[in-house]
Amino acid sequence: MAQELNRLKESPSQTAGPYVHIGLTPNFLGIEGVFPVDLGREMVNDETIGERIDVVVRVFDGTGTVLKDVLVEIWQADAKGLYNSPNEPRGKADPNFTGWGRMASDMENGECVFRTIKPGQVPFNDGRMQAPHISLWIVARGINLGLQTRMYFADEDAANRVDPVLTRLEHQNRVPTLIAPREGNTYKFDIHLQGEKETVFFDI
Amino acid sequence: MKNSLPEVHGFFQRDRSWHPPAFAPGYRSTVVRSPQRAPISFPNTLSEVTGPVFGHALLGELDNDLTINYAKAGESAIGPRIVVYGRVLDENGRPVPNSLVEFWQANAGGRYRHKKDTYLAPLDPNFGGCGRAVTDAEGRYWFRTVQPGAYPWPNGVNDWRPAHIHFSVFGPGFVQRLITQMYFEGDPMIWKCPIVRTIPDERAIERLIAKLDMEATQPFDSRLYKFDIVLRGSNSTLFENRKEGN
Ligand SMILES: [Fe+2]
């Protein structure tokens, strides 16, 4: 028999469950005094470079009902297209922008509202530019493995049309599920877990 | 030209037959919350291999002691005192340092401090139910808590969750994000649980069961349970003499 590779298997995922707020947004839930703030709530400060925007994410189940117990994290580049991460090899990102947000949905209307900036462009591995985008990770009761998707910006049509990820989708009629329309300074991104408008999710 | 491209080491693709499938009707909430179309793959880019970092400076002194981090001064939570410890590793067996590990759980009676939990077991006024740690250079973390109780939940008419602690873990890449649950060695409830049983492979389930470690147990204080967590690995760490930068 050949030698073993001795690689480990990833720990299997389990649902975040209905009580995810206790661990990840305790102050939002009213558990105060354990952590001073909920992580990921503030992505920007007064010094952050870039155009201020709000991103409003809602997640709908297969019956068209908005999820009121979902938790969404986002990850994005700064205004120049740099990530605030040690794995960013191209330069130092804006120190006044974390790039990472975490919000539990409002328990009444299901909205996750991220106060952020519009990201710059990040290259694909072959050197082509990707359109500005935000990476999302979605967990909730009934979701066994966190869902990965991306949000693109409707007012970046020229960049979207040549984006290396969007253009590789076999079903081009599903591209609009990844593009958030703009109203004023707000982008509304509705995610559909199932049905006609099912959002494109990624295995990346 | 090639040298001007960012060097991106993608993560090993997730083995989706090892994880629970999205649609697992024994766990009824998955039925309308599971995507039905195949997910789309593309090579990891900088957007996937980068991620936020949380330093040790983030932590408060009591963040990893759930027995007292919500308790009134001089009091502590009720229940069997335990310490959970372990390491965060990647699939290559390398430690993941500076990994933020967050955990939450029910109290010893099986009740969560959450407005949606209406189980008749009482709240413990000295127990909040959340904590966090950041792994050290060897990927190690630990926290003290009380062993949570089992609790009933609306699925079948008589479904109970085994005692468990929820974990959220960060790696250096955003696509390593993982949420899972830790169970306790020897608990017969594990194998009856519809959420546990969404995981198709028994060997994968075993990976979520923490082992009692009597050797490390602190006499007259706490029993210890060991729980290691493995995040996705990449080929970036295969070659030692590669230049720094993951
Ligand atoms: Fe739970």
Side-chain angles (χ1 to χ4, degrees):
Chain A
M1 207 164 93
Q3 297 179 16
E4 296 288 338
L5 290 172
N6 284 331
R7 204 156 274 149
L8 303 173
K9 297 284 280 184
E10 188 185 12
S11 297
S13 175
Q14 292 269 262
T15 180
Y19 307 125
V20 61
H21 314 94
I22 297 172
L24 304 191
T25 59
N27 292 285
F28 165 82
L29 183 65
I31 298 179
E32 283 160 4
V34 181
F35 307 142
V37 293
D38 290 338
L39 293 180
R41 219 182 153 77
E42 308 289 343
M43 300 177 69
V44 297
N45 63 31
D46 293 343
E47 312 287 304
T48 306
I49 298 162
E51 182 191 355
R52 298 295 192 278
I53 59 168
D54 285 349
V55 172
V56 180
V57 179
R58 293 186 300 174
V59 182
F60 295 86
D61 71 15
T63 74
T65 305
V66 68
L67 271 59
K68 295 175 180 174
D69 56 5
V70 71
L71 181 117
V72 177
E73 288 184 5
I74 67 173
W75 174 242
Q76 65 167 94
D78 71 6
K80 295 204 176 90
L82 295 171
Y83 284 102
N84 193 344
S85 161
N87 280 358
E88 170 59 82
R90 296 167 300 156
K92 189 156 167 42
D94 180 356
N96 293 303
F97 183 60
T98 68
W100 176 73
R102 171 191 275 171
M103 293 297 294
S105 57
D106 182 278
M107 290 188 187
E108 299 300 323
N109 63 21
E111 289 184 349
C112 302
V113 182
F114 296 92
R115 300 254 132 86
T116 183
I117 52 138
K118 202 162 170 195
Q121 291 188 270
V122 177
F124 200 63
N125 298 345
D126 58 8
R128 283 182 292 165
M129 275 312 214
Q130 306 186 79
H133 63 272
I134 294 178
S135 300
L136 291 93
W137 180 73
I138 299 149
V139 294
R141 169 177 66 87
I143 295 176
N144 283 331
L145 175 64
L147 297 170
Q148 298 165 316
T149 188
R150 282 181 171 192
M151 188 197 99
Y152 287 82
F153 298 82
D155 54 344
E156 295 286 345
D157 192 48
N160 291 341
R161 266 191 271 161
V162 295
D163 177 80
V165 172
L166 293 179
T167 52
R168 73 191 280 135
L169 297 183
E170 179 192 350
H171 297 100
Q172 281 294 305
N173 58 347
R174 300 189 66 203
V175 168
T177 69
L178 298 179
I179 298 180
R182 179 171 192 153
E183 293 167 32
N185 289 324
T186 300
Y187 292 88
K188 291 204 165 167
F189 190 42
D190 284 349
I191 292 168
H192 297 271
L193 299 176
Q194 294 180 350
E196 285 286 288
K197 294 181 286 185
E198 181 176 317
T199 300
V200 172
F201 296 103
F202 295 116
D203 177 16
I204 45 178
Chain B
M1 179 61 202
K2 190 140 203 313
N3 287 338
S4 69
L5 295 178
E7 205 177 344
V8 174
H9 300 285
F11 292 99
F12 303 138
Q13 184 149 21
R14 270 201 159 119
D15 179 354
R16 294 174 88 90
S17 66
W18 180 254
H19 288 285
F23 178 76
Y27 173 22
R28 294 179 187 176
S29 296
T30 66
V31 174
V32 295
R33 293 184 169 198
S34 45
Q36 294 167 332
R37 295 183 165 99
I40 309 291
S41 289
F42 58 87
N44 282 178
T45 73
L46 284 169
S47 303
E48 285 74 42
V49 303
T50 55
V53 182
F54 308 91
H56 292 261
L58 168 80
L59 301 175
E61 209 179 323
L62 303 182
D63 282 9
N64 68 339
D65 193 340
L66 283 70
T67 67
I68 52 175
N69 71 7
Y70 189 78
K72 290 191 236 8
E75 300 186 9
S76 70
I78 291 173
R81 291 167 60 83
I82 60 170
V83 167
V84 177
Y85 79 97
R87 295 213 294 164
V88 179
L89 304 167
D90 71 16
E91 289 169 297
N92 293 314
R94 303 288 184 109
V96 181
N98 296 312
S99 170
L100 174 65
V101 183
E102 298 162 289
F103 17 86
W104 65 100
Q105 62 168 90
N107 69 23
R111 176 77 184 272
Y112 281 100
R113 184 170 292 280
H114 193 289
K115 52 191 76 159
K116 293 277 161 57
D117 187 358
T118 55
Y119 181 35
L120 48 80
L123 284 169
D124 176 345
N126 288 314
F127 189 71
C130 55
R132 61 190 178 187
V134 174
T135 57
D136 69 12
E138 276 82 53
R140 294 177 299 199
Y141 75 92
W142 69 273
F143 60 98
R144 177 174 282 111
T145 186
V146 293
Q147 192 165 15
Y151 60 84
W153 60 296
N155 190 63
V157 291
N158 189 29
D159 281 327
W160 291 69
R161 296 303 324 282
H164 63 277
I165 300 176
H166 297 264
F167 278 72
S168 160
V169 191
F170 285 80
F174 191 56
V175 294
Q176 292 173 291
R177 281 294 279 123
L178 183 72
I179 278 187
T180 190
Q181 301 182 26
M182 183 200 104
Y183 304 99
F184 292 86
E185 181 183 17
D187 183 351
M189 304 296 291
I190 294 170
W191 305 100
K192 304 179 199 299
C193 173
I195 288 178
V196 172
R197 289 168 63 159
T198 60
I199 300 173
D201 191 326
E202 205 168 290
R203 293 168 304 168
I205 295 172
E206 297 279 1
R207 293 280 308 284
L208 298 183
I209 303 175
K211 204 174 178 65
L212 175 65
D213 183 351
M214 279 308 289
E215 276 69 44
T217 279
Q218 301 166 339
F220 297 95
D221 186 332
S222 304
R223 287 173 304 147
L224 267 72
Y225 280 90
K226 177 168 181 282
F227 186 60
D228 286 342
I229 299 159
V230 177
L231 300 179
R232 292 170 70 184
S234 75
N235 60 18
S236 73
T237 52
L238 287 185
F239 307 104
E240 288 284 32
N241 54 4
R242 189 185 286 280
K243 72 172 167 53
E244 276 302 294
N246 259 13

